[in-house]
Amino acid sequence: MTNSELLSPGENIRPQLTMDQAKQLVTKYYGFECESISELDGYDDKNFKVAVRGNHEQDKNEQYVLKILNSLDSRTVDFIEGQNELLLYLFNKNITCPVPQPTITKSYYTIVQLESGKHIVRLMNYITGVTLLTASNLPDYIFSQIGTFTSNLDNVMKKFYHPVYESHKTLWMLNSVPELKKFLFAVEDSEKRSFLEDIIVEFEKKVLTKVDQLEKGMIHGDINEQNIIVEKIGGEWQFKSILDFGDSQYSCYLFELAIAMTYAILLKKNVDVGGHVIRGYEKVRKLPEEEFNLLKICIEARICQSLTMGVYTSSLDPGNAYVLTTSKPGWKVLREMRSMTNEELFQKWRELPLVE
C-alpha cells in the first residue's frame, strides 16, 4: 500500500464527458434505463443526478447520483474500497449517508477510460432534501445540530478500521496546509498572497508541532454547507444527512470541528455562529482546552486552503463557479478573524444565547 498522490500544479484532473456518455455508463454498468439526467455541483469530480426506470432486479423508478471520480483520486483504488466499506458501515449504524450501489457484476465501483483518462465510477443512492447552502432562513439551532452530528459521527466511526486510512493523504487535509505554498502563485494580489503565507506559517508553528499530542480517530474531513442535507419537518428545518466522504481520513478531532465551524461561519458570514456549532458538538464530546485554544488558527487555515485552491482550480476550469463559493465571504471573514485575539473570539462564542 502506498500513500495517496498529492495534486501537482498544472495538473487538470476533472473528468471530461457528456450527458449522453454519463447515461451510457449507468445503463452499461448498472443495468438501468435513464429517464432523466442533470449535472450536480462538483469540485474535481463530475456528479450527475439520474432518474432511472427498472433494471435487472427491479421495475420501479429510483433516483441516484452517478459519481465520476477525478483522475488523481481514481489512481487510489484501495482508498475507494475503504471508503465504500466506511459508507456501508455507517449505513448499518443508521447514519443517513450516500451508499454505493452494486454494478451488474456485484462490484461497488468500476473503472472506465474517458478522454480525460481513467476514472472510477460509482452509483450512490440519492438523498432527498436540500443542501444547507440553498436552504433559506436557517435558524441558529441548525448549527447546533450540525455540531452534535459532527461529534456523534466521529464517535460512531471509532470502531471502524480499514488499513488504507493509515497512509491516505490528500491536499485537502489540514495536515497538508504547508503544501499550499506550491499553489499560492495563483493568487495574483501580492498583499493577499502574503496574508495567506502568514497563516500557513502560523499554522505550522502552532498546530502541526502539536499534532502528535491531539486526540485522533476517523473523521469525515469536509463537513461543509454543500455536503449537509437538511429538510423541513413540521415547518422547521432539521439536519438530515451528510454527503461526500471523499475526504474521510484518520486525523485529529480538532480538525473535524474546525472544518465544520469554518463553513458554518462562511455560510452566515458571521464568526458568532461558530459558537453554536461548538455547543452542539460538546453535547457528545467535551472539547479539551488545548484544542479550544487552537480552533481559531485551524479555521483560518481551512479558509486559506479553500481560497487558494479555489483560485487555482478556477484558473484551470473557469466555467466551474462551484470552486469559488468560498471566495466572496472568505476574504471578509478571514480578515475579521485575523484582526481578533483568541480571547476576543472566544468571548463572542461564550456570550451567544442558548438555542435548541
Side-chain angles (χ1 to χ4, degrees), residues 15-25 37 39 46 48 66 68 114-115:
Q16 302 297 320
L17 76 165
T18 65
M19 292 275 197
D20 282 342
Q21 287 175 309
K23 290 173 68 174
Q24 290 167 16
L25 292 176
I37 185 168
E39 187 165 354
K46 282 274 192 176
F48 297 91
L66 178 70
I68 298 98
L114 301 176
E115 189 175 320

Short mmCIF file of all heavy atoms in Angstrom, two decimals, residues 15-25 37 39 46 48 66 68 114-115:
data_model
loop_
_atom_site.label_atom_id
_atom_site.label_comp_id
_atom_site.label_asym_id
_atom_site.label_seq_id
_atom_site.Cartn_x
_atom_site.Cartn_y
_atom_site.Cartn_z
N PRO A 15 -12.90 14.94 -14.69
CA PRO A 15 -13.38 14.09 -15.79
C PRO A 15 -14.02 14.93 -16.90
O PRO A 15 -14.66 15.96 -16.63
CB PRO A 15 -14.43 13.20 -15.12
CG PRO A 15 -14.14 13.27 -13.66
CD PRO A 15 -13.58 14.64 -13.42
N GLN A 16 -13.86 14.47 -18.13
CA GLN A 16 -14.49 15.12 -19.28
C GLN A 16 -15.42 14.12 -19.96
O GLN A 16 -14.96 13.12 -20.51
CB GLN A 16 -13.42 15.60 -20.27
CG GLN A 16 -12.40 16.57 -19.68
CD GLN A 16 -13.01 17.86 -19.20
OE1 GLN A 16 -13.90 18.41 -19.85
NE2 GLN A 16 -12.55 18.35 -18.05
N LEU A 17 -16.72 14.39 -19.87
CA LEU A 17 -17.69 13.53 -20.55
C LEU A 17 -19.00 14.26 -20.73
O LEU A 17 -19.29 15.22 -20.02
CB LEU A 17 -17.92 12.22 -19.78
CG LEU A 17 -18.78 12.23 -18.52
CD1 LEU A 17 -19.17 10.79 -18.16
CD2 LEU A 17 -18.10 12.89 -17.35
N THR A 18 -19.81 13.81 -21.68
CA THR A 18 -21.09 14.43 -21.98
C THR A 18 -22.20 13.76 -21.17
O THR A 18 -22.00 12.70 -20.56
CB THR A 18 -21.42 14.30 -23.46
OG1 THR A 18 -21.59 12.88 -23.77
CG2 THR A 18 -20.31 14.89 -24.33
N MET A 19 -23.38 14.39 -21.19
CA MET A 19 -24.55 13.81 -20.53
C MET A 19 -24.87 12.43 -21.12
O MET A 19 -25.18 11.49 -20.39
CB MET A 19 -25.77 14.72 -20.71
CG MET A 19 -25.66 16.03 -19.96
SD MET A 19 -26.19 15.89 -18.25
CE MET A 19 -26.43 17.61 -17.87
N ASP A 20 -24.79 12.33 -22.44
CA ASP A 20 -25.09 11.05 -23.10
C ASP A 20 -24.12 9.97 -22.65
O ASP A 20 -24.51 8.82 -22.43
CB ASP A 20 -25.04 11.21 -24.62
CG ASP A 20 -26.29 11.87 -25.18
OD1 ASP A 20 -27.31 11.89 -24.45
OD2 ASP A 20 -26.26 12.36 -26.32
N GLN A 21 -22.85 10.33 -22.52
CA GLN A 21 -21.86 9.35 -22.06
C GLN A 21 -22.17 8.91 -20.63
O GLN A 21 -22.02 7.73 -20.28
CB GLN A 21 -20.46 9.95 -22.14
CG GLN A 21 -19.92 10.08 -23.55
CD GLN A 21 -18.59 10.80 -23.58
OE1 GLN A 21 -18.42 11.88 -23.02
NE2 GLN A 21 -17.61 10.19 -24.24
N ALA A 22 -22.60 9.87 -19.80
CA ALA A 22 -22.95 9.53 -18.42
C ALA A 22 -24.14 8.56 -18.38
O ALA A 22 -24.13 7.58 -17.62
CB ALA A 22 -23.28 10.81 -17.64
N LYS A 23 -25.14 8.81 -19.22
CA LYS A 23 -26.30 7.92 -19.29
C LYS A 23 -25.87 6.51 -19.72
O LYS A 23 -26.36 5.51 -19.19
CB LYS A 23 -27.34 8.47 -20.27
CG LYS A 23 -28.05 9.72 -19.79
CD LYS A 23 -28.93 10.33 -20.85
CE LYS A 23 -30.11 9.46 -21.19
NZ LYS A 23 -31.04 10.14 -22.14
N GLN A 24 -24.96 6.45 -20.67
CA GLN A 24 -24.49 5.15 -21.16
C GLN A 24 -23.76 4.37 -20.07
O GLN A 24 -23.88 3.14 -19.99
CB GLN A 24 -23.56 5.37 -22.36
CG GLN A 24 -24.28 5.86 -23.61
CD GLN A 24 -23.32 6.36 -24.68
OE1 GLN A 24 -22.12 6.09 -24.62
NE2 GLN A 24 -23.84 7.13 -25.63
N LEU A 25 -23.04 5.08 -19.19
CA LEU A 25 -22.35 4.41 -18.08
C LEU A 25 -23.37 3.77 -17.13
O LEU A 25 -23.16 2.64 -16.65
CB LEU A 25 -21.50 5.42 -17.31
CG LEU A 25 -20.27 5.99 -18.02
CD1 LEU A 25 -19.60 7.05 -17.15
CD2 LEU A 25 -19.28 4.88 -18.37
N ILE A 37 -31.49 12.98 -16.61
CA ILE A 37 -30.17 13.18 -16.02
C ILE A 37 -29.87 14.67 -15.97
O ILE A 37 -30.24 15.42 -16.88
CB ILE A 37 -29.08 12.42 -16.84
CG1 ILE A 37 -27.73 12.52 -16.15
CG2 ILE A 37 -29.03 12.91 -18.27
CD1 ILE A 37 -26.67 11.57 -16.73
N GLU A 39 -26.68 17.54 -14.29
CA GLU A 39 -25.39 17.62 -13.62
C GLU A 39 -25.52 18.36 -12.29
O GLU A 39 -26.24 19.36 -12.17
CB GLU A 39 -24.36 18.34 -14.49
CG GLU A 39 -22.96 18.29 -13.89
CD GLU A 39 -21.85 18.66 -14.86
OE1 GLU A 39 -22.15 18.87 -16.06
OE2 GLU A 39 -20.69 18.74 -14.42
N LYS A 46 -17.08 14.75 -11.28
CA LYS A 46 -18.32 15.02 -12.01
C LYS A 46 -19.43 14.23 -11.33
O LYS A 46 -19.30 13.02 -11.08
CB LYS A 46 -18.20 14.58 -13.46
CG LYS A 46 -17.44 15.54 -14.35
CD LYS A 46 -18.34 16.63 -14.91
CE LYS A 46 -17.64 17.40 -16.02
NZ LYS A 46 -18.53 18.39 -16.64
N PHE A 48 -23.73 13.47 -11.35
CA PHE A 48 -24.98 13.59 -12.09
C PHE A 48 -26.13 12.98 -11.28
O PHE A 48 -25.99 11.88 -10.74
CB PHE A 48 -24.89 12.85 -13.43
CG PHE A 48 -23.86 13.39 -14.37
CD1 PHE A 48 -22.56 12.90 -14.36
CD2 PHE A 48 -24.17 14.40 -15.27
CE1 PHE A 48 -21.60 13.38 -15.23
CE2 PHE A 48 -23.22 14.90 -16.15
CZ PHE A 48 -21.93 14.40 -16.11
N LEU A 66 -24.73 9.58 -9.93
CA LEU A 66 -23.60 8.97 -10.63
C LEU A 66 -22.37 9.83 -10.35
O LEU A 66 -22.36 11.02 -10.65
CB LEU A 66 -23.88 8.91 -12.14
CG LEU A 66 -22.75 8.34 -13.00
CD1 LEU A 66 -22.60 6.84 -12.76
CD2 LEU A 66 -23.00 8.63 -14.47
N ILE A 68 -18.37 10.36 -11.01
CA ILE A 68 -17.17 10.02 -11.78
C ILE A 68 -16.00 10.73 -11.12
O ILE A 68 -15.92 11.97 -11.10
CB ILE A 68 -17.29 10.43 -13.26
CG1 ILE A 68 -18.45 9.69 -13.93
CG2 ILE A 68 -15.99 10.10 -14.00
CD1 ILE A 68 -19.71 10.47 -14.02
N LEU A 114 -11.96 7.35 -20.14
CA LEU A 114 -12.56 8.50 -20.81
C LEU A 114 -11.47 9.27 -21.53
O LEU A 114 -10.29 8.97 -21.40
CB LEU A 114 -13.27 9.41 -19.79
CG LEU A 114 -14.38 8.79 -18.95
CD1 LEU A 114 -14.89 9.80 -17.93
CD2 LEU A 114 -15.53 8.32 -19.85
N GLU A 115 -11.88 10.29 -22.27
CA GLU A 115 -10.91 11.12 -22.98
C GLU A 115 -9.92 11.76 -22.00
O GLU A 115 -8.75 12.00 -22.34
CB GLU A 115 -11.65 12.19 -23.77
CG GLU A 115 -10.76 12.99 -24.71
CD GLU A 115 -11.56 13.96 -25.56
OE1 GLU A 115 -12.66 13.59 -26.01
OE2 GLU A 115 -11.08 15.09 -25.76
#
